[in-house]
PDB file of all heavy atoms in Angstrom:
ATOM      1  N   VAL O 753     -11.583  -9.909   3.260  1.00 90.00           N
ATOM      2  CA  VAL O 753     -10.492 -10.017   4.235  1.00 90.00           C
ATOM      3  C   VAL O 753      -9.856  -8.646   4.444  1.00 90.00           C
ATOM      4  O   VAL O 753      -9.617  -8.217   5.588  1.00 90.00           O
ATOM      5  CB  VAL O 753      -9.438 -11.038   3.760  1.00 90.00           C
ATOM      6  CG1 VAL O 753      -8.160 -10.911   4.586  1.00 90.00           C
ATOM      7  CG2 VAL O 753      -9.982 -12.452   3.865  1.00 90.00           C
ATOM      8  N   GLU O 898      -2.540 -13.534   6.612  1.00 83.00           N
ATOM      9  CA  GLU O 898      -1.535 -14.587   6.540  1.00 83.00           C
ATOM     10  C   GLU O 898      -1.534 -15.186   5.135  1.00 83.00           C
ATOM     11  O   GLU O 898      -2.299 -14.771   4.264  1.00 83.00           O
ATOM     12  CB  GLU O 898      -1.812 -15.675   7.580  1.00 83.00           C
ATOM     13  CG  GLU O 898      -3.198 -16.254   7.515  1.00 83.00           C
ATOM     14  CD  GLU O 898      -3.499 -17.189   8.677  1.00 83.00           C
ATOM     15  OE1 GLU O 898      -2.886 -17.041   9.753  1.00 83.00           O
ATOM     16  OE2 GLU O 898      -4.362 -18.074   8.491  1.00 83.00           O
ATOM     17  N   TYR O 900      -1.057 -16.141   1.373  1.00 82.00           N
ATOM     18  CA  TYR O 900      -0.797 -15.418   0.141  1.00 82.00           C
ATOM     19  C   TYR O 900      -1.048 -13.923   0.278  1.00 82.00           C
ATOM     20  O   TYR O 900      -0.382 -13.112  -0.362  1.00 82.00           O
ATOM     21  CB  TYR O 900      -1.647 -15.995  -1.002  1.00 82.00           C
ATOM     22  CG  TYR O 900      -3.119 -16.080  -0.693  1.00 82.00           C
ATOM     23  CD1 TYR O 900      -3.958 -14.998  -0.897  1.00 82.00           C
ATOM     24  CD2 TYR O 900      -3.668 -17.251  -0.184  1.00 82.00           C
ATOM     25  CE1 TYR O 900      -5.309 -15.065  -0.611  1.00 82.00           C
ATOM     26  CE2 TYR O 900      -5.017 -17.342   0.110  1.00 82.00           C
ATOM     27  CZ  TYR O 900      -5.835 -16.246  -0.101  1.00 82.00           C
ATOM     28  OH  TYR O 900      -7.164 -16.324   0.198  1.00 82.00           O
ATOM     29  N   ILE O1070      -7.353 -12.235  10.088  1.00 81.00           N
ATOM     30  CA  ILE O1070      -8.544 -12.307   9.251  1.00 81.00           C
ATOM     31  C   ILE O1070      -8.218 -13.209   8.063  1.00 81.00           C
ATOM     32  O   ILE O1070      -7.245 -12.966   7.336  1.00 81.00           O
ATOM     33  CB  ILE O1070      -8.974 -10.918   8.758  1.00 81.00           C
ATOM     34  CG1 ILE O1070      -9.153  -9.946   9.930  1.00 81.00           C
ATOM     35  CG2 ILE O1070     -10.254 -11.016   7.943  1.00 81.00           C
ATOM     36  CD1 ILE O1070     -10.279 -10.312  10.848  1.00 81.00           C
ATOM     37  N   THR O1071      -9.017 -14.255   7.862  1.00 79.00           N
ATOM     38  CA  THR O1071      -8.805 -15.202   6.772  1.00 79.00           C
ATOM     39  C   THR O1071     -10.108 -15.416   6.011  1.00 79.00           C
ATOM     40  O   THR O1071     -11.192 -15.123   6.537  1.00 79.00           O
ATOM     41  CB  THR O1071      -8.316 -16.553   7.313  1.00 79.00           C
ATOM     42  OG1 THR O1071      -9.365 -17.121   8.124  1.00 79.00           O
ATOM     43  CG2 THR O1071      -7.053 -16.388   8.159  1.00 79.00           C
ATOM     44  N   PRO O1072     -10.048 -15.927   4.782  1.00 81.00           N
ATOM     45  CA  PRO O1072     -11.287 -16.251   4.063  1.00 81.00           C
ATOM     46  C   PRO O1072     -12.162 -17.223   4.830  1.00 81.00           C
ATOM     47  O   PRO O1072     -13.402 -17.139   4.778  1.00 81.00           O
ATOM     48  CB  PRO O1072     -10.777 -16.862   2.753  1.00 81.00           C
ATOM     49  CG  PRO O1072      -9.424 -16.253   2.546  1.00 81.00           C
ATOM     50  CD  PRO O1072      -8.854 -16.116   3.929  1.00 81.00           C
ATOM     51  N   GLU O1073     -11.544 -18.144   5.581  1.00 81.00           N
ATOM     52  CA  GLU O1073     -12.319 -19.119   6.360  1.00 81.00           C
ATOM     53  C   GLU O1073     -13.094 -18.421   7.476  1.00 81.00           C
ATOM     54  O   GLU O1073     -14.271 -18.732   7.711  1.00 81.00           O
ATOM     55  CB  GLU O1073     -11.384 -20.174   6.945  1.00 81.00           C
ATOM     56  CG  GLU O1073     -10.737 -21.109   5.915  1.00 81.00           C
ATOM     57  CD  GLU O1073      -9.647 -20.448   5.107  1.00 81.00           C
ATOM     58  OE1 GLU O1073      -9.058 -19.457   5.612  1.00 81.00           O
ATOM     59  OE2 GLU O1073      -9.379 -20.914   3.978  1.00 81.00           O
ATOM     60  N   SER O1074     -12.454 -17.482   8.157  1.00 78.00           N
ATOM     61  CA  SER O1074     -13.154 -16.763   9.229  1.00 78.00           C
ATOM     62  C   SER O1074     -14.251 -15.868   8.671  1.00 78.00           C
ATOM     63  O   SER O1074     -15.285 -15.671   9.313  1.00 78.00           O
ATOM     64  CB  SER O1074     -12.160 -15.933  10.043  1.00 78.00           C
ATOM     65  OG  SER O1074     -11.587 -14.897   9.263  1.00 78.00           O
ATOM     66  N   ILE O1075     -14.045 -15.347   7.461  1.00 77.00           N
ATOM     67  CA  ILE O1075     -15.080 -14.534   6.816  1.00 77.00           C
ATOM     68  C   ILE O1075     -16.313 -15.392   6.522  1.00 77.00           C
ATOM     69  O   ILE O1075     -17.453 -15.011   6.831  1.00 77.00           O
ATOM     70  CB  ILE O1075     -14.547 -13.911   5.510  1.00 77.00           C
ATOM     71  CG1 ILE O1075     -13.450 -12.890   5.803  1.00 77.00           C
ATOM     72  CG2 ILE O1075     -15.678 -13.277   4.715  1.00 77.00           C
ATOM     73  CD1 ILE O1075     -13.918 -11.644   6.476  1.00 77.00           C
ATOM     74  N   ARG O1076     -16.085 -16.571   5.944  1.00 79.00           N
ATOM     75  CA  ARG O1076     -17.219 -17.440   5.610  1.00 79.00           C
ATOM     76  C   ARG O1076     -17.907 -17.979   6.861  1.00 79.00           C
ATOM     77  O   ARG O1076     -19.125 -18.179   6.865  1.00 79.00           O
ATOM     78  CB  ARG O1076     -16.738 -18.596   4.719  1.00 79.00           C
ATOM     79  CG  ARG O1076     -16.398 -18.161   3.296  1.00 79.00           C
ATOM     80  CD  ARG O1076     -16.169 -19.352   2.385  1.00 79.00           C
ATOM     81  NE  ARG O1076     -14.900 -20.022   2.700  1.00 79.00           N
ATOM     82  CZ  ARG O1076     -13.747 -19.749   2.126  1.00 79.00           C
ATOM     83  NH1 ARG O1076     -13.699 -18.813   1.193  1.00 79.00           N
ATOM     84  NH2 ARG O1076     -12.643 -20.412   2.453  1.00 79.00           N
ATOM     85  N   ALA O1077     -17.151 -18.191   7.914  1.00 76.00           N
ATOM     86  CA  ALA O1077     -17.740 -18.702   9.156  1.00 76.00           C
ATOM     87  C   ALA O1077     -18.571 -17.652   9.869  1.00 76.00           C
ATOM     88  O   ALA O1077     -19.470 -17.992  10.664  1.00 76.00           O
ATOM     89  CB  ALA O1077     -16.642 -19.210  10.087  1.00 76.00           C
ATOM     90  N   ASN O1078     -18.296 -16.364   9.603  1.00 76.00           N
ATOM     91  CA  ASN O1078     -19.044 -15.263  10.239  1.00 76.00           C
ATOM     92  C   ASN O1078     -19.645 -14.359   9.166  1.00 76.00           C
ATOM     93  O   ASN O1078     -19.562 -13.146   9.264  1.00 76.00           O
ATOM     94  CB  ASN O1078     -18.126 -14.469  11.162  1.00 76.00           C
ATOM     95  CG  ASN O1078     -17.521 -15.307  12.266  1.00 76.00           C
ATOM     96  OD1 ASN O1078     -18.144 -15.528  13.305  1.00 76.00           O
ATOM     97  ND2 ASN O1078     -16.309 -15.807  12.044  1.00 76.00           N
TER      98      ASN O1078
END
Side-chain angles (χ1 to χ4, degrees):
V753 167
E898 54 188 26
Y900 53 86
I1070 306 294
T1071 65
E1073 292 74 25
S1074 66
I1075 293 291
R1076 288 190 288 268
N1078 300 277

